[in-house]
Amino acid sequence: MKQFYPNRFKDKVIILTGAARGIGEATAIRAAKEGAKLVLADRLKEEGERVLNAVRAEGGTAIFLNLDLSAEEHAEQMVDAAVKTYGHLDIAINNAGVMGNPSPLHELEQEQMDYTMANNFYSVFFCCKHEIREFMKEGNGGVIVNNASIAGLTGLPGNPAYVASKHAVNGLTKNLALDYARYGIRINSVNPAGTTTPMVAEAYEYVKNHREAAIKAGMDPAKAQSMAGQKLTSMLEREATAEEQAASILFLVSDDATHMTGATVQTDGGWTSF
């Protein structure tokens, strides 16, 4: 998707987590083209620096912070760096997350659940906490978009940790929208289905290998196929592109969405509607 709106985010300071690839990368590139001043954060250092260089090659203004946002002190450090670098904060896009390794509950170890919650829920909790504190300090309102998933709206067979973490993100989003509306702070979430990104590709590969291993171990192929248990397509019968997800995210943080808060927007090609 090559369309963009010049100067839509002129002089706006945007924090973007999970910026090193996929939806984060696409969002960074488009926001830069639309005039944003960016604070890019990711624990993938090499990939994050590549996105930083791509943003600057487009004439954008950005810094990159190599941070693991499952640690609260890193979320605080990120917000402090935004204000120190640009003087204020306008928008936050909390996009960082992991898929984890799908596992049914009776086989799920606490360490797996802890890892998924730390990277999908606590990272959002910590970021929102410190972003909201800064918005309240500045007194000019603010906008947050959290990246959840269709797994925050439905179940996904064999993946209770991911589903629980993304439902938690959507629950947090709604409650924060309620609590901070009086401060002029809008908070929404996006909920993608299959999107052409490295993380989704890795998840598909994991499921495929797990299914093939089950067949080799003697499981009936039809039963092994049903382990995934998922729809094969959305209404639109294709995956989204990272650029399409970026377009939805940037709409929600733009002035075209000033009456939207507490929304869990289905950016899923109709996946959760049938």
Side-chain angles (χ1 to χ4, degrees):
M1 181 177 293
K2 297 185 182 300
Q3 181 179 356
F4 67 98
Y5 302 104
N7 298 318
R8 178 162 60 158
F9 298 109
K10 182 176 173 56
D11 297 326
K12 297 290 187 181
V13 177
I14 300 180
I15 282 175
L16 172 61
T17 75
R21 61 181 191 168
I23 293 171
E25 178 179 2
T27 304
I29 297 298
R30 179 161 177 176
K33 289 181 177 180
E34 297 186 353
K37 298 176 180 178
L38 294 167
V39 178
L40 310 175
D42 205 295
R43 65 186 179 192
L44 300 176
K45 186 174 188 293
E46 184 176 339
E47 293 93 327
E49 290 176 345
R50 177 183 57 78
V51 173
L52 174 65
N53 291 332
V55 165
R56 289 176 173 172
E58 293 285 352
T61 300
I63 60 171
F64 171 69
L65 305 174
N66 182 211
L67 298 173
D68 179 352
L69 294 165
S70 66
E72 181 171 2
E73 61 267 26
H74 290 173
E76 184 176 14
Q77 180 182 337
M78 176 182 67
V79 173
D80 288 346
V83 177
K84 182 178 179 180
T85 302
Y86 300 120
H88 66 283
L89 178 64
D90 300 294
I91 294 165
I93 300 167
N94 299 318
N95 170 69
V98 299
M99 184 67 70
N101 291 331
S103 179
L105 186 66
H106 69 281
E107 297 176 357
L108 186 65
E109 299 292 338
Q110 182 178 340
E111 290 77 10
Q112 293 171 272
M113 178 64 85
D114 288 345
Y115 173 79
T116 305
M117 292 299 291
N119 287 281
N120 286 351
F121 174 67
Y122 275 100
S123 61
V124 173
F125 161 57
F126 294 144
C127 288
C128 285
K129 177 179 177 180
H130 291 282
E131 292 154 0
I132 287 170
R133 282 182 173 178
E134 181 58 32
F135 289 149
M136 292 174 70
K137 179 181 176 181
E138 294 181 19
N140 298 313
V143 188
I144 295 174
V145 167
N146 298 320
N147 194 345
S149 167
I150 55 168
L153 302 171
T154 68
L156 292 181
N159 207 347
Y162 187 70
V163 168
S165 70
K166 293 300 189 177
H167 271 72
V169 168
N170 277 334
L172 182 70
T173 296
K174 287 179 177 292
N175 215 87
L176 296 183
L178 175 64
D179 288 343
Y180 295 100
R182 65 183 181 274
Y183 297 100
I185 300 171
R186 299 191 298 106
I187 306 170
N188 299 291
S189 75
V190 291
N191 293 268
T195 302
T196 304
T197 67
M199 189 177 83
V200 171
E202 290 161 5
Y204 286 160
E205 187 65 21
Y206 177 88
V207 171
K208 175 185 174 184
N209 291 340
H210 196 56
R211 185 168 58 242
E212 289 174 352
I215 293 171
K216 287 180 181 179
M219 181 178 287
D220 177 78
K223 185 176 180 181
Q225 177 64 30
S226 72
M227 286 169 58
Q230 298 179 29
K231 303 171 190 176
L232 298 178
T233 185
S234 69
M235 287 184 188
L236 298 182
E237 298 185 343
R238 64 171 177 84
E239 288 188 341
T241 66
E243 289 75 16
E244 286 174 317
Q245 297 293 352
S248 296
I249 290 167
L250 292 175
F251 162 73
L252 285 172
V253 300
S254 77
D255 287 343
D256 285 332
T258 51
H259 200 249
M260 292 185 69
T261 196
T264 51
V265 180
Q266 301 163 228
T267 57
D268 65 355
W271 185 280
T272 53
S273 293
F274 76 102

